[in-house]
Amino acid sequence: MSFPTQQQQKEATEANVGALTDGSEAQAASGEPKRKSLLGGLIREARPKQWIKNVLVLTAPLASGTITHRHTLGAVAIAFLAFCLAASAVYYANDALDVEADRAHPTKRNRPIAAGIIPIKLAWVCVVVLSVAALSVALADNSATLAVIAVYLVMHLSYSAWFKHVLVLDLALVAAGFLLRAMIGGVAAGIPLSQWFLLTTGFASLFMVSGKRYSELLLMGEEAAVTRRSLAGYSQSYLRFVWQTMVGLTILTYSLWAFDLGQADRGIRWHEISIVPWAFIFLRYAMFVDAGQAGEPEEVVLGDKVIMAIGLAWLVLFSLGVFINGH
């Protein structure tokens, strides 16, 4: 049995059709399928696939070698959940504000708010509920974790409302969201954060963000500004300059961090060896950016077996440096 599309339901409502149809059509038009559609839309709008970005909360505990400690795991799990809730609140707000622009986008028009599955008023209710829930969960860790989540919400909600059209600042704010994800794991577990760790994370975040914008501009050309107004002020050459610069800085700062960690290594210098796969991860990902295929970073990372394999090699080498050498 097939259900009517969203457009068919809309046309039926506008025409005020009250005639009874056959049994299958009557069932499709009943409230139960609509409720299921709304529930599915609410879940999709929260974008659980995007939550993979929040695994960055594990980076500081991994680098410090405390990731296996019970206290650390508990604190990081709470921070992860808080960030998932906060990020979903931002997704709801962003899509509610950009509903008209998203409807002109080839893929974003299928998002639940743009498609009309979720009413705008309900979307804003979800923003409030998710934000309060995120802050409440963060408070269960400590006040510092609460502060990080509060900063993230203020920063990204203001980005969605005002700053997304301010050139360069838009890139910096989105990248800062990734940096906060990496920081919160250390903040929640009381782990000191290395300057090289913060610089590497910050530059890598700018690379991902600028690469995403470059891909959007390359994919949609002059029409890109219709769906993301800031892209009207960027050129392909400028965004290419940004992401290429960030690749170099990310590899450089990671190398300096690895050499710093390697000074205390006993025997094989695993940290320094991990520089090789680290560099190739970004060189591989840059291929997708250059081809304009990095509009959805998580899909690139999870969908490319080569990146996954190189990433696993890096993780093994770095972990050997942390746990074998006693960091």
Side-chain angles (χ1 to χ4, degrees), residues 64 266 320-327:
S64 67
R266 300 185 300 272
L320 286 172
V322 170
F323 297 105
I324 299 298
N325 292 319
H327 293 296

Side-chain angles (χ1 to χ4, degrees), residues 62-120:
L62 172 63
S64 67
T66 62
I67 195 170
T68 57
H69 297 180
R70 181 180 298 179
H71 165 73
T72 300
L73 285 175
V76 170
I78 293 173
F80 177 84
L81 177 58
F83 237 111
C84 289
L85 293 168
S88 292
V90 171
Y91 294 143
Y92 268 93
N94 187 69
D95 287 0
L97 291 167
D98 284 355
V99 61
E100 296 302 328
D102 286 351
R103 286 170 180 164
H105 193 278
T107 56
K108 292 181 180 180
R109 64 187 179 189
N110 296 318
R111 290 177 177 176
I113 295 177
I117 297 173
I118 300 176
I120 299 296

Side-chain angles (χ1 to χ4, degrees), residues 200 204 250-251 254-255 274-283 310 314:
T200 300
T250 300
I251 296 174
Y254 178 82
S255 298
S274 73
I275 295 172
V276 177
W278 177 263
F280 277 100
I281 289 172
F282 286 88
L283 293 178
I310 300 174
W314 168 81

Side-chain angles (χ1 to χ4, degrees), residues 206-255:
L206 274 171
F207 164 64
M208 301 291 282
V209 174
S210 58
K212 177 182 173 69
R213 296 291 184 269
Y214 177 83
S215 293
E216 291 174 342
L217 189 59
L218 197 64
L219 176 65
M220 299 191 66
E222 295 180 355
E223 296 181 359
V226 176
T227 59
R228 194 182 295 277
R229 200 168 72 194
S230 64
L231 289 177
Y234 289 123
S235 65
Q236 290 185 18
S237 59
Y238 175 77
L239 290 174
R240 175 184 287 273
F241 161 76
V242 174
W243 69 257
Q244 289 181 340
T245 301
M246 291 307 110
V247 167
L249 288 173
T250 300
I251 296 174
L252 174 62
T253 52
Y254 178 82
S255 298

Side-chain angles (χ1 to χ4, degrees), residues 29-325:
S30 67
E32 184 178 355
K34 291 181 180 178
R35 286 194 296 272
K36 289 182 179 179
S37 178
L38 177 60
L39 178 60
L42 290 170
I43 295 173
R44 284 199 296 123
E45 185 60 37
R47 301 187 204 173
K49 288 184 178 180
Q50 300 278 359
W51 292 349
I52 189 173
K53 299 174 183 176
N54 299 330
V55 298
L56 285 171
V57 303
L58 298 173
T59 53
L62 172 63
S64 67
T66 62
I67 195 170
T68 57
H69 297 180
R70 181 180 298 179
H71 165 73
T72 300
L73 285 175
V76 170
I78 293 173
F80 177 84
L81 177 58
F83 237 111
C84 289
L85 293 168
S88 292
V90 171
Y91 294 143
Y92 268 93
N94 187 69
D95 287 0
L97 291 167
D98 284 355
V99 61
E100 296 302 328
D102 286 351
R103 286 170 180 164
H105 193 278
T107 56
K108 292 181 180 180
R109 64 187 179 189
N110 296 318
R111 290 177 177 176
I113 295 177
I117 297 173
I118 300 176
I120 299 296
K121 290 183 179 180
L122 178 58
W124 285 112
V125 170
C126 291
V127 171
V128 174
V129 171
L130 288 168
S131 297
V132 172
L135 294 169
S136 300
V137 171
L139 186 58
D141 250 344
N142 52 51
S143 58
T145 304
L146 173 65
V148 173
I149 292 296
V151 168
Y152 174 83
L153 285 170
V154 170
M155 187 170 63
H156 277 69
L157 291 175
S158 61
Y159 161 84
S160 297
W162 301 294
F163 300 129
K164 66 167 55 181
H165 306 305
V166 181
L167 301 185
V168 181
L169 183 59
D170 64 322
L171 300 178
L173 287 175
V174 176
F178 290 97
L179 181 59
L180 289 174
R181 285 175 169 89
M183 288 176 58
I184 200 172
V187 169
I191 300 169
L193 298 173
S194 162
Q195 59 181 350
W196 296 121
F197 168 78
L198 294 175
L199 284 171
T200 300
T201 305
F203 290 138
S205 301
L206 274 171
F207 164 64
M208 301 291 282
V209 174
S210 58
K212 177 182 173 69
R213 296 291 184 269
Y214 177 83
S215 293
E216 291 174 342
L217 189 59
L218 197 64
L219 176 65
M220 299 191 66
E222 295 180 355
E223 296 181 359
V226 176
T227 59
R228 194 182 295 277
R229 200 168 72 194
S230 64
L231 289 177
Y234 289 123
S235 65
Q236 290 185 18
S237 59
Y238 175 77
L239 290 174
R240 175 184 287 273
F241 161 76
V242 174
W243 69 257
Q244 289 181 340
T245 301
M246 291 307 110
V247 167
L249 288 173
T250 300
I251 296 174
L252 174 62
T253 52
Y254 178 82
S255 298
L256 293 171
W257 184 31
F259 285 127
D260 185 52
L261 293 171
Q263 290 180 0
D265 281 352
R266 300 185 300 272
I268 300 175
R269 293 179 175 269
W270 297 111
H271 286 111
E272 296 176 15
I273 296 173
S274 73
I275 295 172
V276 177
W278 177 263
F280 277 100
I281 289 172
F282 286 88
L283 293 178
R284 175 73 179 183
Y285 187 89
M287 292 176 55
F288 292 92
V289 176
D290 190 58
Q293 299 174 357
E296 298 294 339
E298 66 283 351
E299 293 183 5
V300 174
V301 173
L302 296 177
D304 185 69
K305 294 181 180 179
V306 176
I307 289 180
M308 294 292 287
I310 300 174
L312 179 61
W314 168 81
L315 180 61
V316 170
L317 291 171
F318 189 85
S319 298
L320 286 172
V322 170
F323 297 105
I324 299 298
N325 292 319

